[in-house]
Amino acid sequence: MAKILVIDDDPGYQAAMRRVLQLEGHDVRVAGGGEEGVALLAEEPADLVVVDLLMPGMDGVQAVREIRSRHPGVAILVVTGAHEVLVDDVLRRASWIGDAGMLSKPFDDAEFLRAVRRILGAEG
């Protein structure tokens, strides 16, 4: 299965995503912020990075930009509950997003797994 890094400052979402991904057989590491996530990715590569958009310190936009510059081949899934700030269509056109997948919070386990499988190429 895949090596996945989850970057999210919400401990509840961290635990839920870790649990679902581990049950699916993935090797999962978790970071509580952008700086920590970028550092973990430098230590050990990942097949997929799941990154929350709004976090204190290095936010998701900055983290995605940093990851793209240092690890251009890694797949990215952006998760966000920032519905009032960012409209999906605008977000998809943002230059920093590239080919990253998108998922709006709140999401259920099945939605999350479908997005992960699609990005990893296990489901069309």
Side-chain angles (χ1 to χ4, degrees), residues 17-53:
M17 289 187 280
R18 179 193 300 253
R19 177 186 51 80
V20 169
L21 292 169
Q22 286 178 332
L23 286 172
E24 188 83 352
H26 297 294
D27 177 15
V28 183
R29 292 179 299 148
V30 176
E35 295 94 344
E36 181 185 1
V38 169
L40 284 174
L41 195 57
E43 291 173 10
E44 184 179 340
D47 301 304
L48 171 64
V49 178
V50 179
V51 60
D52 185 24
L53 201 54

mmCIF file of all heavy atoms in Angstrom, residues 17-53:
data_model
loop_
_atom_site.group_PDB
_atom_site.id
_atom_site.type_symbol
_atom_site.label_atom_id
_atom_site.label_comp_id
_atom_site.label_asym_id
_atom_site.label_seq_id
_atom_site.Cartn_x
_atom_site.Cartn_y
_atom_site.Cartn_z
ATOM 1 N N MET A 17 -8.485 10.390 10.030
ATOM 2 C CA MET A 17 -7.837 10.066 8.748
ATOM 3 C C MET A 17 -6.803 8.965 8.927
ATOM 4 O O MET A 17 -6.711 8.053 8.105
ATOM 5 C CB MET A 17 -7.220 11.328 8.135
ATOM 6 C CG MET A 17 -8.268 12.297 7.617
ATOM 7 S SD MET A 17 -7.599 13.712 6.698
ATOM 8 C CE MET A 17 -7.077 14.795 8.046
ATOM 9 N N ARG A 18 -6.038 9.026 10.012
ATOM 10 C CA ARG A 18 -5.044 7.978 10.281
ATOM 11 C C ARG A 18 -5.729 6.615 10.399
ATOM 12 O O ARG A 18 -5.297 5.642 9.790
ATOM 13 C CB ARG A 18 -4.259 8.273 11.549
ATOM 14 C CG ARG A 18 -3.223 7.170 11.874
ATOM 15 C CD ARG A 18 -2.671 7.283 13.289
ATOM 16 N NE ARG A 18 -2.002 8.518 13.538
ATOM 17 C CZ ARG A 18 -0.674 8.650 13.659
ATOM 18 N NH1 ARG A 18 0.098 7.595 13.554
ATOM 19 N NH2 ARG A 18 -0.145 9.806 13.917
ATOM 20 N N ARG A 19 -6.801 6.570 11.178
ATOM 21 C CA ARG A 19 -7.521 5.310 11.405
ATOM 22 C C ARG A 19 -8.030 4.720 10.087
ATOM 23 O O ARG A 19 -7.782 3.555 9.787
ATOM 24 C CB ARG A 19 -8.692 5.539 12.355
ATOM 25 C CG ARG A 19 -9.564 4.316 12.600
ATOM 26 C CD ARG A 19 -10.799 4.624 13.434
ATOM 27 N NE ARG A 19 -11.581 5.742 12.949
ATOM 28 C CZ ARG A 19 -12.452 5.681 11.939
ATOM 29 N NH1 ARG A 19 -12.657 4.546 11.301
ATOM 30 N NH2 ARG A 19 -13.122 6.749 11.568
ATOM 31 N N VAL A 20 -8.695 5.534 9.294
ATOM 32 C CA VAL A 20 -9.267 5.065 8.029
ATOM 33 C C VAL A 20 -8.167 4.584 7.090
ATOM 34 O O VAL A 20 -8.290 3.524 6.459
ATOM 35 C CB VAL A 20 -10.108 6.183 7.370
ATOM 36 C CG1 VAL A 20 -10.484 5.825 5.953
ATOM 37 C CG2 VAL A 20 -11.348 6.460 8.201
ATOM 38 N N LEU A 21 -7.099 5.340 6.997
ATOM 39 C CA LEU A 21 -6.005 4.972 6.091
ATOM 40 C C LEU A 21 -5.273 3.720 6.561
ATOM 41 O O LEU A 21 -4.895 2.867 5.744
ATOM 42 C CB LEU A 21 -5.031 6.141 5.953
ATOM 43 C CG LEU A 21 -5.592 7.365 5.225
ATOM 44 C CD1 LEU A 21 -4.652 8.554 5.381
ATOM 45 C CD2 LEU A 21 -5.854 7.056 3.760
ATOM 46 N N GLN A 22 -5.065 3.587 7.865
ATOM 47 C CA GLN A 22 -4.406 2.388 8.380
ATOM 48 C C GLN A 22 -5.271 1.150 8.185
ATOM 49 O O GLN A 22 -4.759 0.076 7.859
ATOM 50 C CB GLN A 22 -4.030 2.567 9.851
ATOM 51 C CG GLN A 22 -2.839 3.493 10.022
ATOM 52 C CD GLN A 22 -2.466 3.747 11.474
ATOM 53 O OE1 GLN A 22 -3.305 3.695 12.373
ATOM 54 N NE2 GLN A 22 -1.198 4.047 11.698
ATOM 55 N N LEU A 23 -6.576 1.279 8.368
ATOM 56 C CA LEU A 23 -7.480 0.148 8.117
ATOM 57 C C LEU A 23 -7.438 -0.275 6.656
ATOM 58 O O LEU A 23 -7.662 -1.442 6.340
ATOM 59 C CB LEU A 23 -8.918 0.503 8.518
ATOM 60 C CG LEU A 23 -9.195 0.557 10.014
ATOM 61 C CD1 LEU A 23 -10.594 1.107 10.293
ATOM 62 C CD2 LEU A 23 -9.022 -0.820 10.650
ATOM 63 N N GLU A 24 -7.146 0.662 5.781
ATOM 64 C CA GLU A 24 -7.021 0.390 4.348
ATOM 65 C C GLU A 24 -5.652 -0.228 4.030
ATOM 66 O O GLU A 24 -5.395 -0.651 2.913
ATOM 67 C CB GLU A 24 -7.235 1.697 3.583
ATOM 68 C CG GLU A 24 -7.330 1.571 2.111
ATOM 69 C CD GLU A 24 -8.701 1.180 1.592
ATOM 70 O OE1 GLU A 24 -9.588 0.849 2.387
ATOM 71 O OE2 GLU A 24 -8.884 1.202 0.370
ATOM 72 N N GLY A 25 -4.753 -0.260 5.028
ATOM 73 C CA GLY A 25 -3.448 -0.889 4.841
ATOM 74 C C GLY A 25 -2.310 0.064 4.532
ATOM 75 O O GLY A 25 -1.196 -0.367 4.236
ATOM 76 N N HIS A 26 -2.562 1.351 4.606
ATOM 77 C CA HIS A 26 -1.526 2.335 4.288
ATOM 78 C C HIS A 26 -0.611 2.586 5.482
ATOM 79 O O HIS A 26 -1.013 2.436 6.636
ATOM 80 C CB HIS A 26 -2.168 3.654 3.858
ATOM 81 C CG HIS A 26 -2.990 3.543 2.613
ATOM 82 N ND1 HIS A 26 -2.445 3.245 1.375
ATOM 83 C CD2 HIS A 26 -4.331 3.661 2.419
ATOM 84 C CE1 HIS A 26 -3.410 3.204 0.474
ATOM 85 N NE2 HIS A 26 -4.567 3.450 1.085
ATOM 86 N N ASP A 27 0.612 2.988 5.180
ATOM 87 C CA ASP A 27 1.589 3.424 6.185
ATOM 88 C C ASP A 27 1.374 4.921 6.366
ATOM 89 O O ASP A 27 1.574 5.697 5.429
ATOM 90 C CB ASP A 27 2.999 3.122 5.668
ATOM 91 C CG ASP A 27 4.098 3.600 6.598
ATOM 92 O OD1 ASP A 27 3.811 3.914 7.772
ATOM 93 O OD2 ASP A 27 5.256 3.663 6.144
ATOM 94 N N VAL A 28 0.944 5.343 7.569
ATOM 95 C CA VAL A 28 0.518 6.726 7.779
ATOM 96 C C VAL A 28 1.376 7.422 8.833
ATOM 97 O O VAL A 28 1.624 6.877 9.906
ATOM 98 C CB VAL A 28 -0.970 6.778 8.236
ATOM 99 C CG1 VAL A 28 -1.437 8.220 8.382
ATOM 100 C CG2 VAL A 28 -1.856 6.014 7.263
ATOM 101 N N ARG A 29 1.807 8.644 8.506
ATOM 102 C CA ARG A 29 2.446 9.534 9.468
ATOM 103 C C ARG A 29 1.589 10.792 9.550
ATOM 104 O O ARG A 29 0.915 11.152 8.596
ATOM 105 C CB ARG A 29 3.857 9.907 9.024
ATOM 106 C CG ARG A 29 4.810 8.720 9.068
ATOM 107 C CD ARG A 29 6.201 9.079 8.607
ATOM 108 N NE ARG A 29 6.150 9.548 7.226
ATOM 109 C CZ ARG A 29 6.973 10.472 6.724
ATOM 110 N NH1 ARG A 29 7.910 11.013 7.473
ATOM 111 N NH2 ARG A 29 6.878 10.857 5.467
ATOM 112 N N VAL A 30 1.632 11.451 10.702
ATOM 113 C CA VAL A 30 0.789 12.620 10.930
ATOM 114 C C VAL A 30 1.639 13.790 11.416
ATOM 115 O O VAL A 30 2.541 13.615 12.238
ATOM 116 C CB VAL A 30 -0.311 12.304 11.970
ATOM 117 C CG1 VAL A 30 -1.141 13.533 12.288
ATOM 118 C CG2 VAL A 30 -1.213 11.183 11.478
ATOM 119 N N ALA A 31 1.328 14.978 10.892
ATOM 120 C CA ALA A 31 1.968 16.210 11.335
ATOM 121 C C ALA A 31 0.879 17.198 11.733
ATOM 122 O O ALA A 31 -0.180 17.244 11.108
ATOM 123 C CB ALA A 31 2.823 16.798 10.216
ATOM 124 N N GLY A 32 1.151 18.004 12.756
ATOM 125 C CA GLY A 32 0.179 18.955 13.260
ATOM 126 C C GLY A 32 0.230 20.321 12.610
ATOM 127 O O GLY A 32 -0.530 21.207 12.970
ATOM 128 N N GLY A 33 1.119 20.514 11.635
ATOM 129 C CA GLY A 33 1.227 21.808 10.958
ATOM 130 C C GLY A 33 2.108 21.703 9.732
ATOM 131 O O GLY A 33 2.759 20.678 9.498
ATOM 132 N N GLY A 34 2.125 22.780 8.960
ATOM 133 C CA GLY A 34 2.876 22.793 7.713
ATOM 134 C C GLY A 34 4.365 22.598 7.878
ATOM 135 O O GLY A 34 4.990 21.820 7.158
ATOM 136 N N GLU A 35 4.955 23.300 8.845
ATOM 137 C CA GLU A 35 6.403 23.181 9.055
ATOM 138 C C GLU A 35 6.784 21.746 9.400
ATOM 139 O O GLU A 35 7.746 21.191 8.862
ATOM 140 C CB GLU A 35 6.883 24.113 10.176
ATOM 141 C CG GLU A 35 6.728 25.580 9.880
ATOM 142 C CD GLU A 35 5.416 26.164 10.424
ATOM 143 O OE1 GLU A 35 4.484 25.386 10.763
ATOM 144 O OE2 GLU A 35 5.319 27.392 10.489
ATOM 145 N N GLU A 36 6.036 21.146 10.331
ATOM 146 C CA GLU A 36 6.311 19.777 10.744
ATOM 147 C C GLU A 36 6.131 18.809 9.571
ATOM 148 O O GLU A 36 6.930 17.891 9.369
ATOM 149 C CB GLU A 36 5.383 19.385 11.900
ATOM 150 C CG GLU A 36 5.621 17.980 12.417
ATOM 151 C CD GLU A 36 4.614 17.554 13.481
ATOM 152 O OE1 GLU A 36 3.698 18.332 13.821
ATOM 153 O OE2 GLU A 36 4.755 16.416 13.966
ATOM 154 N N GLY A 37 5.096 19.018 8.784
ATOM 155 C CA GLY A 37 4.840 18.147 7.640
ATOM 156 C C GLY A 37 5.939 18.201 6.600
ATOM 157 O O GLY A 37 6.389 17.173 6.095
ATOM 158 N N VAL A 38 6.385 19.410 6.273
ATOM 159 C CA VAL A 38 7.461 19.571 5.305
ATOM 160 C C VAL A 38 8.734 18.904 5.823
ATOM 161 O O VAL A 38 9.447 18.229 5.069
ATOM 162 C CB VAL A 38 7.686 21.076 4.984
ATOM 163 C CG1 VAL A 38 8.966 21.294 4.196
ATOM 164 C CG2 VAL A 38 6.481 21.628 4.219
ATOM 165 N N ALA A 39 9.012 19.025 7.108
ATOM 166 C CA ALA A 39 10.193 18.391 7.713
ATOM 167 C C ALA A 39 10.084 16.869 7.663
ATOM 168 O O ALA A 39 11.055 16.179 7.336
ATOM 169 C CB ALA A 39 10.380 18.867 9.151
ATOM 170 N N LEU A 40 8.907 16.325 7.991
ATOM 171 C CA LEU A 40 8.716 14.871 7.933
ATOM 172 C C LEU A 40 8.885 14.346 6.513
ATOM 173 O O LEU A 40 9.457 13.275 6.297
ATOM 174 C CB LEU A 40 7.333 14.481 8.470
ATOM 175 C CG LEU A 40 7.145 14.507 9.975
ATOM 176 C CD1 LEU A 40 5.687 14.240 10.344
ATOM 177 C CD2 LEU A 40 8.062 13.491 10.651
ATOM 178 N N LEU A 41 8.382 15.097 5.544
ATOM 179 C CA LEU A 41 8.498 14.674 4.152
ATOM 180 C C LEU A 41 9.949 14.689 3.690
ATOM 181 O O LEU A 41 10.358 13.854 2.890
ATOM 182 C CB LEU A 41 7.640 15.580 3.270
ATOM 183 C CG LEU A 41 7.352 15.085 1.860
ATOM 184 C CD1 LEU A 41 6.682 13.719 1.864
ATOM 185 C CD2 LEU A 41 6.485 16.093 1.121
ATOM 186 N N ALA A 42 10.744 15.606 4.226
ATOM 187 C CA ALA A 42 12.173 15.654 3.895
ATOM 188 C C ALA A 42 12.897 14.441 4.465
ATOM 189 O O ALA A 42 13.847 13.940 3.864
ATOM 190 C CB ALA A 42 12.798 16.943 4.416
ATOM 191 N N GLU A 43 12.433 13.955 5.625
ATOM 192 C CA GLU A 43 13.053 12.787 6.262
ATOM 193 C C GLU A 43 12.697 11.492 5.546
ATOM 194 O O GLU A 43 13.529 10.593 5.442
ATOM 195 C CB GLU A 43 12.595 12.670 7.718
ATOM 196 C CG GLU A 43 13.108 13.743 8.624
ATOM 197 C CD GLU A 43 12.480 13.678 10.010
ATOM 198 O OE1 GLU A 43 11.794 12.687 10.328
ATOM 199 O OE2 GLU A 43 12.656 14.648 10.774
ATOM 200 N N GLU A 44 11.459 11.377 5.118
ATOM 201 C CA GLU A 44 10.994 10.149 4.472
ATOM 202 C C GLU A 44 9.944 10.498 3.433
ATOM 203 O O GLU A 44 8.937 11.134 3.744
ATOM 204 C CB GLU A 44 10.391 9.198 5.509
ATOM 205 C CG GLU A 44 9.972 7.877 4.930
ATOM 206 C CD GLU A 44 9.392 6.927 5.974
ATOM 207 O OE1 GLU A 44 9.654 7.126 7.180
ATOM 208 O OE2 GLU A 44 8.670 6.013 5.570
ATOM 209 N N PRO A 45 10.150 10.080 2.184
ATOM 210 C CA PRO A 45 9.193 10.408 1.134
ATOM 211 C C PRO A 45 7.823 9.755 1.368
ATOM 212 O O PRO A 45 7.700 8.796 2.125
ATOM 213 C CB PRO A 45 9.837 9.871 -0.139
ATOM 214 C CG PRO A 45 10.928 8.975 0.292
ATOM 215 C CD PRO A 45 11.258 9.283 1.713
ATOM 216 N N ALA A 46 6.820 10.317 0.703
ATOM 217 C CA ALA A 46 5.463 9.779 0.779
ATOM 218 C C ALA A 46 4.901 9.690 -0.635
ATOM 219 O O ALA A 46 5.346 10.403 -1.541
ATOM 220 C CB ALA A 46 4.578 10.675 1.638
ATOM 221 N N ASP A 47 3.931 8.808 -0.805
ATOM 222 C CA ASP A 47 3.237 8.701 -2.087
ATOM 223 C C ASP A 47 2.131 9.747 -2.199
ATOM 224 O O ASP A 47 1.792 10.191 -3.288
ATOM 225 C CB ASP A 47 2.611 7.303 -2.236
ATOM 226 C CG ASP A 47 3.656 6.209 -2.152
ATOM 227 O OD1 ASP A 47 4.620 6.251 -2.943
ATOM 228 O OD2 ASP A 47 3.531 5.323 -1.281
ATOM 229 N N LEU A 48 1.575 10.100 -1.040
ATOM 230 C CA LEU A 48 0.469 11.057 -0.989
ATOM 231 C C LEU A 48 0.603 11.902 0.267
ATOM 232 O O LEU A 48 0.913 11.379 1.340
ATOM 233 C CB LEU A 48 -0.878 10.312 -0.957
ATOM 234 C CG LEU A 48 -2.136 11.133 -0.683
ATOM 235 C CD1 LEU A 48 -2.395 12.143 -1.799
ATOM 236 C CD2 LEU A 48 -3.336 10.218 -0.495
ATOM 237 N N VAL A 49 0.344 13.201 0.120
ATOM 238 C CA VAL A 49 0.271 14.107 1.261
ATOM 239 C C VAL A 49 -1.152 14.653 1.309
ATOM 240 O O VAL A 49 -1.643 15.198 0.327
ATOM 241 C CB VAL A 49 1.278 15.271 1.154
ATOM 242 C CG1 VAL A 49 1.123 16.217 2.335
ATOM 243 C CG2 VAL A 49 2.707 14.740 1.082
ATOM 244 N N VAL A 50 -1.806 14.473 2.458
ATOM 245 C CA VAL A 50 -3.128 15.047 2.705
ATOM 246 C C VAL A 50 -2.875 16.277 3.555
ATOM 247 O O VAL A 50 -2.303 16.176 4.639
ATOM 248 C CB VAL A 50 -4.047 14.049 3.452
ATOM 249 C CG1 VAL A 50 -5.406 14.682 3.719
ATOM 250 C CG2 VAL A 50 -4.190 12.747 2.669
ATOM 251 N N VAL A 51 -3.281 17.449 3.075
ATOM 252 C CA VAL A 51 -2.954 18.686 3.785
ATOM 253 C C VAL A 51 -4.190 19.562 3.974
ATOM 254 O O VAL A 51 -4.939 19.801 3.038
ATOM 255 C CB VAL A 51 -1.807 19.455 3.080
ATOM 256 C CG1 VAL A 51 -2.163 19.840 1.668
ATOM 257 C CG2 VAL A 51 -1.368 20.673 3.865
ATOM 258 N N ASP A 52 -4.388 19.995 5.215
ATOM 259 C CA ASP A 52 -5.456 20.926 5.548
ATOM 260 C C ASP A 52 -5.055 22.303 5.035
ATOM 261 O O ASP A 52 -3.874 22.649 5.013
ATOM 262 C CB ASP A 52 -5.664 20.950 7.066
ATOM 263 C CG ASP A 52 -6.836 21.807 7.499
ATOM 264 O OD1 ASP A 52 -7.766 22.028 6.696
ATOM 265 O OD2 ASP A 52 -6.833 22.254 8.664
ATOM 266 N N LEU A 53 -6.043 23.077 4.644
ATOM 267 C CA LEU A 53 -5.746 24.382 4.070
ATOM 268 C C LEU A 53 -5.481 25.447 5.123
ATOM 269 O O LEU A 53 -4.500 26.177 5.045
ATOM 270 C CB LEU A 53 -6.917 24.814 3.182
ATOM 271 C CG LEU A 53 -6.626 25.858 2.137
ATOM 272 C CD1 LEU A 53 -5.466 25.462 1.247
ATOM 273 C CD2 LEU A 53 -7.866 26.120 1.313
#
